[in-house]
Amino acid sequence: MGGKTSAPRDPTPNRRHIARSLGLLFAIEGTLGEVWLLLPHKGGGHPLPLLLVCALAQAVGVWLRRGALDRAPVWVLKLVVAVGTVLAAAGFVLSGSTTSGFAFFFLWVTPYAVYFGLRQAALQTAFAALNLLGALLLLDHGHMVTADVGQWLLPGAAIVVVSSIVYQLTRELGRADRERLSSERDRAEAEARRAASERERARREAAMARLGRLALRASDRALLLEETVRVLTETLRVRHCSILELRPDDAPMHVIAAVGFERDTEAPADEQRLAGYVLAGDEPVIVWEWASERRFTAPSLRAREIRATAAAAIRGRSGAFGLIAVHSSDVGAFSGEEGQWLQSIADLLASALDRERSEAVMRHQSLHDALTGLPNRALLFDRIEHAFGRAQRFESAVAVLLLDVDGFKTVNDSLGHQAGDELLIEVGSRLQEVVRSSDTVARLGGDEFVVLAEVESDEEAFEIAERTATIWEQPFSAASGEVFCSASVGIAVGRKSQAPAKMLREADAAMYRAKERGRGRSEIFDEEMRKDAFERLRTESDLRRALERGEFHVLYQPIFDVESLRPIGVEALVRWQHPSRGIVGPVEFIPLAEETGLIVPLGRWVLEQALAEVAGWGRRFPDIPLRVAVNVSAQQLARPEFLHEVRQALARSDLTPDQLGLEITESVLIKESSSPRSTLEALRDIGVKVLIDDFGTGYSSLARLKSFPLDGIKIDRCFVDGVGVEDEDTAIVAAIVEIARSLHLQVIAEGVEGEAQLERLAALGCHGAQGYLFSGPVRGDAFAAFLASEKPRTTAALAGL
Ligand code: C2E
Ligand code: CA
Ligand code: CA
């Protein structure tokens, strides 16, 4: 127990105080009497007995001062007061004179009686008056002279008046004391209440923090919701809590998590009314008492003996999810503060659900083609692997049919992109109609589609090809009329398990052969083609020689600060100046370079080249600090030498490590193998920045970001495209930026092509932007000229790039 809390005290002075105070009085009176004896005075008196009386008073005084009667019963003290009166009277008489002043000693003692109540005071006053009267009579030898009346009347009246004044005073003091006492008690109670409410607040905050952590981690929505209702009922000490979810198309709301209610059912109609009311406003709603509630009624709640309710809307970025409500059987159970707290919990849930929704869409987008909604290359590869797994068990084979729309480029160029896109969508849906439901139709990009099927024989694969050929019999509608199309089909059939990429390469080779032989044909991959394919793979030796012959060069695409619109860095992008084919983009040769291991020397060359060139600009334009981002493939990172090579390149260029960023894809970090990760960690230790490229594709979960050794992310173009246009994409980018910023990661948006996009990205909190709006990849000398031309401040200044 805290020592500070004082027990309520009795406001009347305690006996000890009275006894001691009386003691002091007795001692002073005795001493004063003795002093009087020493002074010259007229007439009789009895000095010796008076001295005795005085000494007696002093003795009693000292005795009392020493605490002799500290614990004496009240009647003893009353007696001491009476003794005081008697001693005063004795002193008065023995002094032998009515003018000696001894009469005043009555005034000193008698008022003490007041402490023992009014009755005692009256009694002692009467006793004192009698003593006074007696003393006067004795001194005047038994005569009552009228002229003497003044002599006893004045002290007598004085005793009465002083006693009553003292009585008034003590009452007044006692009342003040009692008031102080009760206000102290009130304050103690108020403080106890405040302490309790502070404890409650601390509890609520702790609960909120717990849910916050869970919301950031939990990938399982059901778990998060269950935990939320549990924490709410526990923290608010109620037995009823529910989360209602809005359903699309005005369907009734559902109870998706609850304590005290049935779950996974439709919410009763009256609760839906409550929900409607809450969702319409923007404040949490508190029902003090259902019996007197006028805004809406909820008999179903009252039937459960619920008397008070607090409810808050769960509102996400792209609309409301539903409602969270707590109920109590006590009237007025929820304060405004608790309502606000509930709202914060609802907001927390909303942002977690937002994130989850975004993740689901991202996952879908990362595995599906945006235009047609068909599985993309990544998902197709996964399905091919699974198909081989099954084929082995059932001793069947896997067929991959690659369809390439003949002359699609002409359609696109003559009828426009819009028509081209519509045609591709139509092709996708027609293909899905002609294949079996167990087959997969995927789009690889451009005008290439793939049908994946499990077959018994090559013939069966051809049958599927024939069936797909029927989709071209009907014309495709376009704004300018109808167009007929066809496709060339390359077929690869695998009996033994083989890499999906190899299957596709074979189908591709067969497709080329089909194209060579005219439109609308199908060919199956065979031995002869294997030889041809080998021929085509001669590119590999071309590639190898290209490095020696210096056919590669690096282009630079600037990255801009979205706020200041000044360049903060460049991304290095490699190009191949092929002697006969002209400029070849990295999409065409990087995969081959990766397969063949050529990416290692090529990547090293790009790194050296880029660092050297950027260091050169640094010397020419020292007031424009630039960073350089270099793309790095998984194979490069897997080599232990990589760390050393980066250090060497940095040392040669005299750039500081923090001016270099390495762009890697998520797959590098997700792979089980730990060596790329530890290489990255070592690089970060020396100050090199690590960025995730194409963030959002190849994706597992936002929460996972936390566990990666990272400095920044580059949001993939496919999400950036829709920013400010499509709610879903905007919400995804917002969710990415939010979580990245909370993890102190730099966020750069890729493929920014429009002003409106840029504005929106800035509003969402992106740091950097890169894209055709500013500039495509340009040659180093062009970029240096741009840096020299003027201090870039506005986008207008960049339009000329
Ligand atoms: P990336 O790292 O995602 O590079 C961005 C690509 O988007 C570049 O294509 C760039 O030209 C293009 N781009 C930039 N802004 C826009 C825009 O506003 N709209 C559109 N539609 N596209 C834009 P690029 O240069 O063809 O590079 C393709 C990919 O090749 C790169 O994708 C990167 O993954 C890879 N790559 C390029 N250079 C290297 C390299 O030196 N090493 C490795 N390992 N990979 C490289
Ligand atoms: Ca990149
Ligand atoms: Ca990228």
Side-chain angles (χ1 to χ4, degrees):
M1 288 294 286
K4 279 206 170 161
T5 43
S6 53
R9 277 179 293 119
D10 186 346
T12 47
N14 62 26
R15 284 165 293 167
R16 180 175 178 272
H17 283 141
I18 297 175
R20 300 266 174 136
S21 170
L22 274 170
L24 186 65
L25 198 70
F26 274 56
I28 295 174
E29 279 182 347
T31 312
L32 278 174
E34 286 162 2
V35 169
W36 183 83
L37 275 173
L38 290 178
L39 295 173
H41 46 266
K42 280 189 278 171
H46 312 275
L48 210 64
L50 183 57
L51 185 65
L52 275 173
V53 167
C54 287
L56 181 63
Q58 280 175 310
V60 173
V62 171
W63 183 60
L64 285 173
R65 289 298 298 173
R66 295 180 126 194
L69 294 185
D70 278 2
R71 286 158 205 273
V74 172
W75 66 267
V76 176
L77 293 175
K78 290 175 184 168
L79 195 67
V80 172
V81 176
V83 167
T85 306
V86 173
L87 284 179
F92 192 13
V93 172
L94 293 173
S95 71
S97 159
T98 52
T99 55
S100 63
F102 275 87
F104 289 101
F105 285 161
F106 290 108
L107 284 179
W108 292 29
V109 202
T110 314
Y112 271 86
V114 167
Y115 285 129
F116 306 108
L118 196 59
R119 218 162 56 105
Q120 183 65 210
L123 216 66
Q124 296 262 9
T125 304
F127 181 61
L130 274 176
N131 274 269
L132 177 68
L133 199 59
L136 282 169
L137 281 173
L138 271 176
L139 286 174
D140 285 339
H141 314 290
H143 299 288
M144 264 298 263
V145 192
T146 337
D148 293 339
V149 166
Q151 276 178 347
W152 57 266
L153 188 65
L154 269 179
I159 293 173
V160 175
V161 170
V162 170
S163 295
S164 62
I165 287 174
V166 171
Y167 175 70
Q168 288 292 334
L169 278 174
T170 50
R171 257 182 44 150
E172 202 39 51
L173 283 173
R175 198 166 58 87
D177 257 359
R178 272 189 300 278
E179 270 176 9
R180 183 174 46 89
L181 199 76
S182 73
S183 80
E184 259 173 22
R185 216 174 278 138
D186 283 351
R187 187 157 79 224
E189 272 168 24
E191 263 166 17
R193 269 198 306 275
R194 187 172 332 129
S197 79
E198 253 153 37
R199 254 200 317 280
E200 286 303 306
R201 193 173 304 144
R203 267 167 65 87
R204 290 200 296 265
E205 271 162 20
M208 177 100 137
R210 197 156 87 229
L211 283 178
R213 279 194 301 276
L214 188 73
L216 202 60
R217 267 200 326 259
S219 44
D220 183 353
R221 154 204 196 119
L223 183 89
L224 175 64
L225 296 176
E226 282 307 314
E227 190 61 15
T228 304
V229 291
R230 202 185 62 72
V231 166
L232 278 175
T233 48
E234 216 170 70
T235 312
L236 296 173
R237 299 196 181 84
V238 293
R239 283 202 297 271
H240 290 91
C241 173
S242 58
I243 298 180
L244 309 190
E245 184 190 40
L246 272 173
R247 295 282 158 120
D249 307 328
D250 292 332
M253 295 179 88
H254 249 67
V255 184
I256 48 170
V259 169
F261 296 103
E262 218 176 306
R263 223 183 310 150
D264 300 321
T265 56
E266 258 175 38
D270 51 359
E271 281 175 54
Q272 311 230 16
R273 259 200 312 280
L274 160 72
Y277 189 89
V278 176
L279 290 169
D282 40 28
E283 284 287 310
V285 167
I286 291 171
V287 175
W288 184 260
E289 186 189 15
W290 276 109
S292 57
E293 178 57 53
R294 292 283 166 272
R295 293 169 290 184
F296 33 76
T297 53
S300 74
L301 293 176
R302 292 183 67 187
R304 290 172 192 264
E305 295 184 357
I306 283 166
R307 305 188 65 190
T309 291
I314 308 173
R315 268 194 208 87
R317 264 193 216 90
S318 42
F321 286 99
L323 170 96
I324 186 162
V326 284
H327 312 278
S328 169
S329 50
D330 298 331
V331 172
F334 305 109
S335 65
E337 195 179 315
E338 281 162 328
Q340 291 303 335
W341 176 73
L342 187 68
Q343 185 64 63
S344 328
I345 297 272
D347 293 346
L348 195 133
L349 272 187
S351 76
L353 292 174
D354 257 341
R355 202 147 60 222
E356 188 208 53
R357 203 182 252 183
S358 300
E359 284 185 8
V361 179
M362 278 166 82
R363 244 191 310 276
H364 181 88
Q365 290 196 7
S366 70
L367 294 175
H368 293 83
D369 169 49
L371 180 66
T372 59
L374 294 174
N376 65 8
R377 183 184 297 260
L379 187 53
L380 173 69
F381 276 26
D382 195 56
R383 297 244 169 111
I384 293 177
E385 276 166 9
H386 275 98
F388 272 119
R390 266 194 311 275
Q392 244 155 11
R393 257 176 290 143
F394 302 115
E395 292 187 3
S396 55
V398 172
V400 167
L401 289 79
L402 179 68
L403 287 82
D404 186 288
V405 182
D406 296 321
F408 178 72
K409 203 173 174 308
T410 333
V411 174
N412 221 18
D413 292 349
S414 55
L415 300 178
H417 283 273
Q418 181 72 23
D421 284 354
E422 276 162 18
L423 189 138
L424 291 173
I425 294 170
E426 179 67 18
V427 169
S429 69
R430 285 188 190 180
L431 275 176
Q432 275 180 306
E433 276 164 30
V434 298
V435 302
R436 295 169 299 190
S437 61
S438 57
D439 300 341
T440 294
V441 177
R443 177 171 175 241
L444 292 186
D447 54 356
E448 289 184 336
F449 291 85
V450 167
V451 174
L452 166 69
E454 281 162 53
V455 294
E456 298 295 330
S457 60
D458 290 1
E459 282 67 41
E460 197 183 336
F462 270 111
E463 276 166 31
I464 296 174
E466 270 162 36
R467 248 183 292 139
T468 65
T470 61
I471 70 165
W472 312 107
E473 288 164 5
Q474 298 297 316
F476 294 84
S477 55
S480 54
E482 291 178 331
V483 275
F484 280 93
C485 278
S486 63
S488 304
V489 183
I491 306 168
V493 176
R495 294 204 159 66
K496 295 197 308 287
S497 188
Q498 54 178 335
K502 186 156 180 267
M503 284 294 282
L504 267 191
R505 242 191 347 261
E506 293 185 357
D508 195 46
M511 193 268 293
Y512 263 89
R513 173 65 51 86
K515 273 220 187 297
E516 274 168 24
R517 297 195 171 159
R519 299 182 151 212
R521 299 180 61 107
S522 317
E523 289 288 339
I524 192 161
F525 183 80
D526 58 22
E527 270 317 303
E528 196 187 333
M529 279 180 218
R530 199 178 300 278
K531 270 191 232 126
D532 283 1
F534 187 74
E535 193 64 16
R536 285 182 0 107
L537 262 184
R538 274 238 313 268
T539 336
E540 188 189 326
S541 58
D542 285 356
L543 208 56
R544 208 178 290 281
R545 268 194 312 242
L547 201 55
E548 293 155 15
R549 293 182 181 168
E551 289 170 3
F552 290 110
H553 59 265
V554 178
L555 298 187
Y556 299 91
Q557 185 174 30
I559 302 168
F560 287 82
D561 182 299
V562 291
E563 296 272 311
S564 67
L565 300 179
R566 310 195 67 182
I568 48 176
V570 292
E571 177 176 358
L573 295 158
V574 69
R575 295 287 182 272
W576 180 11
Q577 180 75 52
H578 193 276
S580 55
R581 287 163 66 190
I583 292 179
V584 184
V587 190
E588 285 180 58
F589 62 86
I590 293 285
L592 187 61
E594 286 176 341
E595 263 173 58
T596 56
L598 259 175
I599 191 70
V600 170
L602 174 60
R604 191 164 51 215
W605 179 82
V606 171
L607 181 73
E608 299 251 343
Q609 177 69 23
L611 284 178
E613 210 156 351
V614 172
W617 302 333
R619 283 187 291 273
R620 274 180 66 191
F621 312 101
D623 49 338
I624 308 178
L626 285 180
R627 292 183 165 175
V628 55
V630 177
N631 294 284
V632 175
S633 293
Q635 284 95 318
Q636 291 174 269
L637 275 171
R639 293 168 60 251
E641 300 91 318
F642 185 67
L643 174 64
H644 174 67
E645 288 168 10
V646 171
R647 284 186 134 148
Q648 235 176 8
L650 276 170
R652 240 175 259 158
S653 70
D654 67 54
L655 284 182
T656 56
D658 68 337
Q659 285 180 280
L660 172 64
L662 300 178
E663 295 193 4
I664 54 167
T665 55
E666 279 157 280
S667 58
V668 171
L669 289 169
I670 290 166
K671 290 253 168 65
E672 308 84 68
S673 133
S674 63
S675 80
R677 195 183 254 251
S678 57
T679 307
L680 286 174
E681 272 157 10
L683 283 162
R684 288 188 76 220
D685 285 345
I686 62 168
V688 172
K689 305 290 177 205
V690 173
L691 306 163
I692 284 199
D693 204 355
D694 307 338
F695 186 79
T697 63
Y699 171 75
S700 51
S701 123
L702 276 175
R704 212 154 160 180
L705 266 181
K706 211 170 18 187
S707 59
F708 296 151
L710 275 192
D711 300 285
I713 57 175
K714 299 185 75 172
I715 306 178
D716 192 70
R717 203 173 68 225
C718 71
F719 300 108
V720 174
D721 271 347
V723 165
V725 186
E726 271 163 53
D727 287 347
E728 201 89 77
D729 282 353
T730 312
I732 289 173
V733 172
I736 296 175
V737 174
E738 182 187 283
I739 197 155
R741 290 194 73 120
S742 78
L743 299 171
H744 306 293
L745 299 176
Q746 176 96 11
V747 188
I748 296 169
E750 296 187 311
V752 181
E753 296 182 353
E755 289 280 358
Q757 248 173 317
L758 178 66
E759 256 165 48
R760 197 59 195 268
L761 287 165
L764 290 177
C766 263
H767 301 106
Q770 174 183 4
Y772 293 167
L773 171 67
F774 301 101
S775 161
V778 294
R779 299 189 72 103
D781 43 13
F783 187 66
F786 159 71
L787 289 179
S789 69
E790 59 179 306
K791 300 282 175 250
R793 279 191 175 276
T794 60
T795 23
L798 304 161
L801 257 183

